[in-house]
Amino acid sequence: MDTSKKIAVILSGCGVYDGAEIHESVLTMLAIAKHGASYTLFAPDINQHHVINHITGEEMKENRNVLTEAARIARGAIQPLSDFNINEFDALMLPGGFGAAKNLSSLAFDGPDCDVEPLTAKAIQDTHKAEKPIGALCIAPAVLAKVINNINVTIGQDKGTIEAIEKMGSKHTLSNHGEVTIDKENKIATTPCYMLDANILQIEEGANNVVKAVLDMI
Amino acid sequence: MDTSKKIAVILSGCGVYDGAEIHESVLTMLAIAKHGASYTLFAPDINQHHVINHITGEEMKENRNVLTEAARIARGAIQPLSDFNINEFDALMLPGGFGAAKNLSSLAFDGPDCDVEPLTAKAIQDTHKAEKPIGALCIAPAVLAKVINNINVTIGQDKGTIEAIEKMGSKHTLSNHGEVTIDKENKIATTPCYMLDANILQIEEGANNVVKAVLDMI
């Protein structure tokens, strides 16, 4: 147990289809606590790209804010990403969900030509420059590949996303449930989670393994 | 491992202050899966009492639907509570969050004189009449106390809620983190979770213990 290890976690809303994947977010928080580290949650104070009805898959005529919705997962204990300072943390983690590809970046719409939300890009760059580890789950590794050049990540086995990662100048390693791809040189650990057809036990395993890999690189 | 045990779980929205507590919901689902049982998620197709900004605690001028929002926790795999049939399940569970006291009942506003949402009351009554176990977390045990007479539950140590439970004709047992109060005669297992000042590890422990107690009574 090392309670001195402090992890910043960036959430992208609240709900798999338009925000942060809830199981991945909660089980990342749980895994960090289980390993004796602490987490501080952040989200950008921006509008969501859109709001999706999670039963029908249809767009709803609503506007929601990424930080305000992410606060649901955080039980209110969350900070605007503008307050993030890498000097206060030992590592950065990004759970998945379409929020990573719709709010933290435009990956879902623009593929390898996507933009990354500026504060998210800065947090990733600052962490990388400080030579501190970054962990990412599900689709979030593709956001890392857009911000940092020539890294090795996994998002599982999805061909379209793998092509995008390669076009952005990085390497993709195929993976299965719970497996973690570790890029030691760049201190990046990634795991596929719900990018595969997974159940909640497999998400817990993936979250545990990627958190452990991140903590081991601190 | 007994994969034949089927648990119905009623969610009350998505977010502690106006819906289902997210950690309790996810960790109940995880605990059910860990014990080799399966879960089916339900929520009533009704409007939330209100929408709370989880950062400021203030009410937002929005309308949200309990079933639609709960679907975020469920990744879309959720059914309207009108479809619930106790013959298809071995047990019923209710995670907490203010949704239990604002959407599934009016407990947060009316205390012991509260109403319980009709389909929620029917699901609890049907399960009790079928002599199948019911598990509840956090504030949800107080909803059970309104629907079923003369039971023994715990919500932790909150004096106001304990008084309400006693006025509704039931017994309250004080409890601490992770502890489960089991009413064997009525097949009811309850645990305090975030009704205490708890961390996510303590929620996992409470969810695990109450799920185990419910499965043991099947």
Side-chain angles (χ1 to χ4, degrees):
Chain A
M1 299 276 285
D2 180 359
T3 52
S4 70
K5 291 182 179 175
K6 292 178 175 60
I7 317 295
V9 178
I10 301 179
L11 301 181
S12 58
C14 178
V16 55
Y17 296 123
D18 57 18
E21 209 297 311
I22 292 173
H23 305 184
E24 291 173 3
S25 302
V26 171
L27 296 176
T28 296
M29 294 156 66
L30 181 71
I32 291 170
K34 274 196 175 175
H35 283 92
S38 68
Y39 55 80
T40 302
L41 305 175
F42 292 90
D45 185 6
I46 57 173
N47 279 338
Q48 293 187 188
H49 176 81
H50 56 192
V51 179
I52 296 289
N53 178 314
H54 278 54
I55 297 176
T56 64
E58 286 168 10
E59 206 168 325
M60 298 170 80
K61 286 183 183 168
E62 289 192 28
N63 293 304
R64 297 189 186 181
N65 176 285
V66 172
L67 175 61
T68 307
E69 296 309 313
R72 295 175 172 275
I73 296 175
R75 296 169 51 80
I78 192 164
Q79 296 178 37
L81 190 50
S82 52
D83 286 356
F84 172 78
N85 178 348
I86 186 57
N87 295 328
E88 297 168 2
F89 296 98
D90 300 300
L92 177 67
M93 291 198 67
L94 291 88
F98 274 99
K102 292 178 175 178
N103 301 327
L104 301 186
S105 74
S106 63
L107 183 77
F109 313 106
D110 303 324
D113 300 320
C114 64
D115 295 317
V116 178
E117 188 279 319
L119 290 171
T120 304
K122 185 176 186 306
I124 294 168
Q125 283 162 347
D126 287 354
T127 307
H128 187 60
K129 280 181 198 161
E131 295 181 10
K132 294 178 179 180
I134 305 175
L137 293 71
C138 187
I139 189 72
V143 180
L144 303 186
K146 182 67 188 183
V147 176
I148 313 173
N149 256 340
N150 196 21
I151 57 176
N152 177 21
V153 295
T154 189
I155 53 85
Q157 324 217 356
D158 181 71
K159 283 185 184 174
T161 311
I162 292 171
E163 277 181 26
I165 287 169
E166 290 172 345
K167 277 188 187 162
M168 294 188 285
S170 283
K171 182 176 180 298
H172 182 272
T173 301
L174 292 171
S175 65
N176 215 321
H177 298 294
E179 294 178 356
V180 177
T181 294
I182 300 176
D183 179 337
K184 282 189 184 173
E185 198 186 322
N186 291 296
K187 293 196 176 182
I188 290 170
T190 50
T191 193
C193 284
Y194 279 124
M195 281 296 286
L196 301 172
D197 184 14
N199 63 41
I200 196 166
L201 295 174
Q202 291 161 333
I203 302 310
E204 190 205 22
E205 188 191 0
N208 256 323
N209 291 347
V210 73
V211 164
K212 185 176 184 310
V214 165
L215 293 173
D216 284 349
M217 287 191 287
I218 292 176
Chain B
M1 299 276 284
D2 180 1
T3 52
S4 70
K5 291 181 179 174
K6 292 177 176 60
I7 318 295
V9 178
I10 301 179
L11 300 180
S12 59
C14 178
V16 55
Y17 296 121
D18 58 17
E21 210 296 311
I22 292 174
H23 306 183
E24 292 173 4
S25 301
V26 171
L27 296 176
T28 296
M29 293 156 66
L30 182 69
I32 292 170
K34 275 196 174 175
H35 283 93
S38 68
Y39 54 81
T40 302
L41 305 174
F42 292 90
D45 185 5
I46 57 174
N47 279 338
Q48 293 186 189
H49 175 80
H50 57 190
V51 178
I52 296 289
N53 178 315
H54 277 54
I55 296 177
T56 64
E58 285 168 11
E59 206 168 326
M60 298 170 79
K61 286 184 183 169
E62 289 192 29
N63 292 304
R64 296 189 187 181
N65 177 284
V66 173
L67 175 61
T68 307
E69 296 308 313
R72 295 176 172 274
I73 297 175
R75 297 170 49 82
I78 193 164
Q79 295 178 38
L81 191 50
S82 52
D83 286 357
F84 172 78
N85 178 347
I86 186 57
N87 295 328
E88 298 168 1
F89 296 98
D90 299 300
L92 177 67
M93 292 198 68
L94 290 88
F98 274 99
K102 292 178 174 178
N103 301 327
L104 301 186
S105 74
S106 62
L107 183 77
F109 314 105
D110 303 323
D113 300 321
C114 64
D115 295 316
V116 178
E117 188 278 321
L119 290 171
T120 304
K122 185 177 187 303
I124 294 168
Q125 284 160 347
D126 287 355
T127 309
H128 187 60
K129 279 182 199 159
E131 295 181 11
K132 294 177 179 180
I134 305 176
L137 293 72
C138 186
I139 189 70
V143 180
L144 302 186
K146 182 67 188 184
V147 176
I148 312 172
N149 256 339
N150 198 21
I151 57 176
N152 177 22
V153 296
T154 189
I155 54 84
Q157 323 216 358
D158 181 71
K159 283 185 184 174
T161 312
I162 292 171
E163 278 181 26
I165 287 169
E166 290 171 346
K167 278 189 186 161
M168 293 188 286
S170 282
K171 183 175 179 299
H172 182 272
T173 301
L174 291 171
S175 64
N176 215 321
H177 298 294
E179 293 178 357
V180 176
T181 294
I182 300 175
D183 179 337
K184 282 190 184 173
E185 198 185 323
N186 291 296
K187 293 195 176 181
I188 290 171
T190 51
T191 194
C193 284
Y194 279 124
M195 281 297 286
L196 301 172
D197 184 14
N199 63 42
I200 196 166
L201 294 174
Q202 291 161 333
I203 302 310
E204 189 204 25
E205 188 190 1
N208 256 324
N209 292 347
V210 72
V211 164
K212 185 176 184 309
V214 165
L215 293 174
D216 284 349
M217 289 190 286
I218 292 176

